[in-house]
Amino acid sequence: MTDLSIHRAKGAVEVRLVRIQELLDLTGLSRSSAHRLMKSDATFPKPVKLSDSKARNAPVAFVLGEVQAWIQGRIEARGEGR
């Protein structure tokens, strides 16, 4: 794995971006299910554009902390409503 570390100011929070394949691996979702949730679920992590391109396949990534928080929310919700 390539180290893309940057020097941070004291007290700054490290943010890691993950690409769509890692999002799919972490959540266990299919690509189509993830895209559906991006459009319909306000709690699902929003993509971060990695370029100014307007092309359909323009590169995007997701904030790892937001992905993990969404997963944790799903875990916590599994016992509710039953």
Side-chain angles (χ1 to χ4, degrees):
M1 182 182 290
T2 304
D3 183 7
L4 299 177
S5 300
I6 58 173
H7 296 285
R8 290 176 273 142
K10 187 175 182 177
V13 177
E14 180 178 352
V15 175
R16 180 167 174 240
L17 297 176
V18 297
R19 298 297 298 266
I20 185 73
Q21 188 57 55
E22 190 167 355
L23 172 109
L24 300 177
D25 292 342
L26 289 167
T27 61
L29 295 169
S30 68
R31 187 174 296 265
S32 60
S33 293
H35 284 285
R36 187 174 0 91
L37 286 170
M38 282 182 232
K39 292 179 181 183
S40 66
D41 183 349
T43 67
F44 195 77
K46 302 294 181 235
V48 176
K49 292 181 181 181
L50 299 179
S51 75
D52 292 333
S53 174
K54 303 278 190 231
R56 178 181 168 143
N57 292 325
V60 298
F62 300 84
V63 177
L64 178 59
E66 293 176 3
V67 174
Q68 292 170 325
W70 183 83
I71 293 168
Q72 186 62 40
R74 299 302 302 157
I75 292 169
E76 291 168 2
R78 69 182 168 184
E80 297 173 9
R82 288 188 184 204

